Amino acid sequence: MKITVIGAGAMGGALVEGLMKMEGQRPGDITVADPVAATRERFAQMGAKTTGDNAEAVEGAEMVAVVVKPWLAEKVLTEIKPALDYERQTLILIAAGVKAEQVNGWMEKKDAVMQLPRLFLVIPNIAIAMKQSMTFIVPCNTTTEETNAVAALFNQLGTALVVDEQHLPAGTTLASCGIAYAMRYIRAAAEGGVELGFRANDAKDIVMQTVLGAVELLKATGEHPEQAIDRVTTPGGVTIRGLNEMEHAGFTSAVIRGLKAGLKSGN
């Protein structure tokens, strides 16, 4: 598939990296548009086509992913609007907080056969670089077949969930912001490991493998986390003591409050 990614910062760059790892995707069929020469050079060395001209990048693409900060979305979208072929090309917008109604207003072509673009609002996280993203997809002006095709693409880059636009802010804080929250736990536990006597790198590796093991176990068994916890905690044991101490310090409450704070700031 010929794919253009406009904006190759942290998220856009991660998307490009993931696409390049995708089975059957040729790096030469990926075009990266970015104003920073060093960024373009990086992806050119990986085999992608690169340009500093956003409108030029759109030409020949089947899918155009615009990955920019929310305040840049209108500027970039209106810049590429004349070059977009709504009948042939699919538009992916990765910009937290930008609404479909806004995009439709910016992109309407009153004199065209298709007046609005085939649009998907998409929120992945940076693990998409490793094909391990949790990605939320909101279809707009699309058919079921087109939605299934986009979901299939992002399922090759992790796990994709098609949701309505109302749930996109919650998905953003739970998974896109949430990956940072998970990393903060890993950092905290690794620091605790150093205090317990391990070298810093060893502590980090121990915690990462433990988290990975927990995820794989829950995926394999389908258990609720509390069921798995019950299998680890024994009466009067050290695990329940540690868990209770974390709860006394507000562990669960802090996580939920953090998620809700992220949701409020995104609305």
Side-chain angles (χ1 to χ4, degrees), residues 61-208:
E62 298 167 68
M63 180 179 292
V64 177
V66 175
V67 193
V68 295
K69 299 298 184 184
W71 55 87
L72 290 174
E74 182 178 5
K75 176 181 180 295
V76 174
L77 288 172
T78 53
E79 179 185 354
I80 66 172
K81 176 180 174 178
L84 275 174
D85 183 343
Y86 292 179
E87 296 182 61
R88 191 178 57 82
Q89 295 175 307
T90 296
L91 177 61
I92 304 288
L93 178 63
I94 301 176
V98 179
K99 308 293 186 184
E101 183 180 7
Q102 292 175 289
V103 179
N104 285 336
W106 299 331
M107 302 300 284
E108 185 178 9
K109 292 183 178 181
K110 295 183 179 180
D111 58 347
V113 175
M114 287 186 63
Q115 296 186 356
L116 296 175
R118 184 184 302 121
L119 170 68
F120 292 88
L121 303 181
V122 174
I123 295 293
N125 62 38
I126 58 172
I128 202 166
M130 306 306 297
K131 302 198 303 180
Q132 291 295 331
S133 177
M134 178 66 237
T135 301
F136 297 88
I137 300 169
V138 176
C140 315
N141 320 319
T142 66
T143 65
T144 299
E145 183 180 1
E146 291 161 351
T147 299
N148 289 342
V150 169
L153 172 71
F154 282 99
N155 271 319
Q156 293 182 68
L157 299 170
T159 298
L161 183 64
V162 177
V163 297
D164 56 40
E165 191 170 357
Q166 181 181 352
H167 285 87
L168 200 56
T172 301
T173 191
L174 193 58
S176 187
C177 303
I179 195 168
Y181 306 153
M183 289 176 180
R184 179 56 61 89
Y185 166 77
I186 291 171
R187 190 193 79 172
E191 289 178 351
V194 173
E195 189 167 338
L196 294 173
F198 289 101
R199 294 182 181 277
N201 284 338
D202 290 339
K204 183 186 72 172
D205 290 343
I206 290 166
V207 175
M208 288 194 301

